């Protein structure tokens, strides 16, 4: 069976003595699943008695897609008599003693640390559509690769396939490759549908007829686009947010403070002139007095009224609110009433953070808010967080909410520390007057 050129490149790295992790794909129709199945077939036959993992986010999807590809290729290569699939065990048994274990790698709330993989010992792994699993799953699976490595003089090998996604695959593989920072034990190989001469022209035409986001991702392999229907802020809106030439700083000045707390290493301050952020500053995790002191310096420097300062009141932030005597933002508090015409009505949000996040996202997509920022790192990390501002349970009726911060951390591999100081700016557009409660230190 003749491989595609990009598949041959991937196989080269899967057989060397340096590369441990290979990410293959980056668009539709590049032979991603076929590559993984062929690699597992070869390894099982070449190294008798070894044990390999074939994984995907959900076992049901794995059996309906990747496993069917495996069977089709096995039939084509006349390997059907070499193995036996036991559906009850979810294991492919080879006659030479090798095994391929099918695994569900979804992050279930009942198993946040993937303890179900704790006793697993494997010789290597293929995770199809790995962009759909948490980074923790990828890492845990790799930690399980040790079975018979010494016997066959092998090193741990993982192959992942995916389409472009703005999550850990983007950060850990695509972005670092583009910037020339990819770790030497990793390789990223982008395969496009045009690299596959076996695809029917009508299939390529169907990809070109998709909506812009899907077309950019699945045909052109553009990682900067996200076609998740739950996404609230698109790529172009984020780019315009950091190029606010259409906006001018004017009117009242505000300060938003996202205070460092457990799991975070910095406090983020943003100074707003109207709807334009004119300064962003961060200080490393420090004492309450230092955070309050820095806030007062920024308040004085930019001439901001105390009633126009708001800080995250959850956890340590409550102390900042007490001592600074500014407004307090409680993420899980009830949403505020919103004006509709001449009356105020109770909105349909699950909490205040969801309300401000969703409304601020609307402001960004409508090009009504922006930020002046020359720091490339801040722009990158902030954009990464904006892309993860998504509606939860979009197919269900009820109150609107956004996905939890813990889930975002799983997707991007770090705590999101920028978005909160941005979305809090919308609180000032919700308050009815200046008589809102101010906490007083006891």
């Amino acid at each position: 069976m003749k491989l595609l050129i990009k598949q041959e490149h991937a196989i080269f790295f899967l057989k060397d003595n340096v590369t441990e992790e290979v990410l293959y794909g980056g668009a539709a129709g590049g032979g991603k699943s076929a590559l993984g199945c062929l690699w597992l077939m070869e390894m099982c036959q070449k190294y008798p008695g070894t044990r390999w993992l074939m994984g995907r986010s959900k076992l049901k999807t794995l059996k309906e897609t990747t496993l069917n590809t495996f069977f089709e290729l096995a039939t084509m290569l006349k390997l059907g008599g070499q193995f036996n699939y036991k559906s009850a065990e979810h294991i492919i048994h080879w006659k030479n003693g090798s095994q391929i274990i099918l695994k569900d790698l979804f992050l279930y709330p009942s198993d946040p640390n993937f303890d179900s993989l704790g006793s697993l010992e494997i010789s290597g792994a293929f995770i199809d559509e790995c962009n759909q699993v948490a980074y923790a799953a990828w890492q845990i699976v790799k930690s399980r690769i040790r079975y018979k490595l010494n016997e066959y003089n092998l090193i741990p090998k993982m192959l992942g396939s995916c389409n472009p996604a703005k999550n850990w695959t983007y950060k850990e593989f695509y972005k670092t490759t583009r910037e020339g920072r990819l770790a030497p034990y990793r390789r990223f190989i982008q395969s496009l549908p045009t690299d596959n001469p076996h695809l029917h022209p009508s299939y390529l035409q169907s990809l070109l007829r998709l909506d812009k986001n899907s077309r950019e991702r699945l045909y052109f392999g553009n990682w900067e686009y996200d076609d998740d229907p739950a996404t609230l802020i698109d790529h172009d809106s984020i780019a315009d947010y950091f190029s606010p030439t259409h906006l001018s700083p004017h009117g009242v000045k505000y300060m938003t403070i996202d205070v460092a707390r457990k799991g975070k290493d910095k406090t983020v301050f943003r100074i707003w002139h109207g709807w334009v952020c004119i300064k962003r500053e961060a200080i490393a995790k420090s004492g309450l007095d230092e955070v309050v002191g820095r806030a007062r310096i920024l308040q004085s420097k930019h001439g901001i009224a105390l009633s126009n300062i708001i800080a995250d009141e959850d956890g340590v932030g409550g102390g900042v609110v007490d001592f600074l005597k500014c407004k307090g933002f409680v993420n899980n508090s009830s949403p505020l009433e919103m004006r509709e015409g001449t009356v105020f009505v109770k909105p349909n949000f699950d909490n205040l953070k969801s309300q401000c996040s969703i409304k601020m996202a609307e402001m960004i997509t409508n090009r009504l808010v922006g930020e002046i920022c020359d720091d490339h790192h801040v722009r990158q990390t902030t954009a990464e967080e904006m892309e993860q501002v998504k509606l939860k349970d979009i197919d269900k009726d009820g109150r609107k909410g956004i996905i939890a911060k813990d889930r975002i951390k799983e997707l991007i591999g770090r705590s999101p520390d920028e978005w909160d100081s941005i979305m809090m700016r919308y609180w000032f557009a919700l308050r009815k007057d200046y008589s809102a409660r101010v906490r007083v230190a006891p």
Side-chain angles (χ1 to χ4, degrees):
M1 181 176 180
K2 185 174 178 56
L3 298 177
L4 304 177
I5 293 177
K6 295 291 183 68
Q7 290 176 327
E8 291 179 348
H9 291 172
I11 290 294
F12 173 82
F13 292 117
L14 288 168
K15 292 184 176 181
D16 69 15
N17 294 318
V18 177
T19 310
E20 298 176 9
E21 302 175 23
V22 177
L23 185 69
Y24 180 85
K32 302 185 295 294
S33 298
L35 171 67
C37 293
L38 289 170
W39 177 58
L40 292 182
M41 289 176 183
E42 181 178 357
M43 294 299 100
C44 285
Q45 295 178 88
K46 188 174 182 179
Y47 303 108
T50 51
R51 188 183 300 134
W52 304 79
L53 179 144
M54 178 193 290
R56 193 159 176 166
S57 176
K58 289 294 185 69
L59 182 62
K60 182 177 183 293
T61 306
L62 175 65
K63 294 167 69 174
E64 293 174 346
T65 56
T66 316
L67 183 60
N68 280 335
T69 299
F70 181 92
F71 291 148
E72 290 171 5
L73 291 171
T75 300
M76 186 183 305
L77 296 171
K78 300 180 179 179
L79 295 176
Q82 300 299 313
F83 63 85
N84 177 37
Y85 172 57
K86 295 186 177 181
S87 59
E89 300 177 0
H90 312 304
I91 298 176
I92 299 171
H93 292 270
W94 291 78
K95 286 187 175 181
N96 64 2
S98 294
Q99 296 179 349
I100 299 176
I101 303 171
L102 278 58
K103 275 292 182 180
D104 183 317
L105 299 176
F106 186 76
L107 179 59
Y108 292 99
S110 59
D111 187 18
N113 298 317
F114 294 95
D115 293 330
S116 60
L117 300 175
S119 60
L120 185 68
E121 289 190 14
I122 54 177
S123 310
F126 165 49
I127 303 180
D128 205 4
E129 300 297 347
C130 63
N131 55 299
Q132 298 174 1
V133 306
Y135 186 42
W138 178 271
Q139 294 177 303
I140 294 296
V141 168
K142 186 177 181 183
S143 73
R144 303 287 85 198
I145 302 177
R146 62 182 184 225
Y147 188 66
K148 293 197 173 185
L149 298 186
N150 291 335
E151 180 176 332
Y152 289 109
N153 194 28
L154 300 173
I155 66 172
K157 292 280 184 177
M158 285 190 69
L159 169 63
S161 75
C162 72
N163 290 323
K166 296 305 282 288
N167 57 16
W168 65 268
T169 55
Y170 173 90
K171 178 182 178 181
E172 297 291 332
F173 286 89
Y174 174 77
K175 183 181 177 184
T176 50
T177 298
R178 185 186 63 191
E179 298 175 352
R181 300 186 294 105
L182 187 67
Y185 63 89
R186 285 176 165 171
R187 285 291 183 271
F188 168 67
I189 300 171
Q190 175 133 336
S191 177
L192 303 176
T194 49
D195 295 327
N196 188 350
H198 306 299
L199 293 177
H200 195 280
S202 62
Y203 175 73
L204 298 178
Q205 288 299 317
S206 68
L207 292 179
L208 287 171
R209 295 190 190 99
L210 297 173
D211 62 87
K212 181 179 180 181
N213 279 3
S214 299
R215 184 171 64 249
E216 288 288 339
R217 290 177 60 253
L218 301 180
Y219 185 87
F220 295 107
N222 190 339
W223 286 71
E224 303 302 335
Y225 283 79
D226 189 345
D227 70 343
D228 187 340
T231 300
L232 293 175
I233 312 175
D234 61 83
H235 171 73
D236 292 338
S237 297
I238 295 173
D240 289 340
Y241 171 84
F242 285 110
S243 300
T245 54
H246 55 292
L247 299 173
S248 60
H250 69 280
V252 179
K253 289 186 177 181
Y254 305 91
M255 187 194 316
T256 55
I257 311 171
D258 185 33
V259 185
R261 55 190 180 277
K262 184 178 180 181
K264 293 180 56 178
D265 61 357
K266 63 178 180 289
T267 292
V268 178
F269 304 85
R270 272 185 164 82
I271 307 299
W272 302 83
H273 195 172
W275 287 100
V276 179
C277 176
I278 58 175
K279 182 176 179 59
R280 178 264 185 202
E281 186 173 303
I283 58 175
K285 185 180 292 186
S286 53
L288 184 62
D289 55 343
E290 185 175 350
V291 174
V292 173
R294 190 60 198 163
R296 286 173 174 162
I297 291 173
L298 291 171
Q299 176 191 7
S300 175
K301 179 179 179 179
H302 294 279
I304 304 172
L306 189 60
S307 58
N308 289 336
I309 301 175
I310 192 167
D312 178 3
E313 196 172 345
D314 293 335
V316 180
V320 174
V321 174
D322 286 339
F323 284 94
L324 195 59
K325 296 182 174 60
C326 65
K327 309 300 183 187
F329 189 99
V330 180
N331 289 290
N332 289 320
S333 61
S334 299
L336 300 178
E337 292 184 340
M338 299 176 66
R339 184 187 295 275
E340 287 189 6
T342 59
V343 299
F344 284 90
V345 298
K346 191 173 183 62
N348 189 36
F349 301 101
D350 61 3
N351 57 41
L352 181 61
K353 181 174 182 178
S354 291
Q355 179 182 25
C356 288
S357 292
I358 292 170
K359 298 305 292 184
M360 194 60 164
E362 290 178 3
M363 294 285 290
I364 293 172
T365 56
N366 288 326
R367 276 59 172 185
L368 298 175
V369 61
E371 180 168 342
I372 299 170
C373 178
D374 296 325
D375 188 316
H376 176 72
H377 177 71
V378 171
R379 291 171 64 122
Q380 286 287 334
T381 55
T382 304
E384 192 175 58
E385 293 179 24
M386 286 182 169
E387 290 160 350
Q388 299 303 327
V389 180
K390 301 181 179 183
L391 293 173
K392 65 179 181 181
D393 301 327
I394 60 173
D395 296 325
K396 297 180 181 179
D397 296 330
R399 296 183 182 277
K400 292 190 291 185
I402 58 171
I403 60 174
K405 178 175 286 189
D406 288 345
R407 176 57 178 157
I408 296 176
K409 185 176 180 179
E410 294 162 9
L411 293 170
I412 64 178
R414 63 173 176 82
S415 176
D417 296 335
E418 300 292 339
W419 175 248
D420 283 0
S421 68
I422 294 174
M423 68 86 185
M424 280 193 287
R425 167 63 183 88
Y426 200 84
W427 183 90
F428 294 104
L430 293 172
R431 64 180 178 182
K432 298 178 182 179
D433 51 42
Y434 286 79
S435 63
R437 177 179 66 89
V438 177
R439 285 169 57 105
V440 179

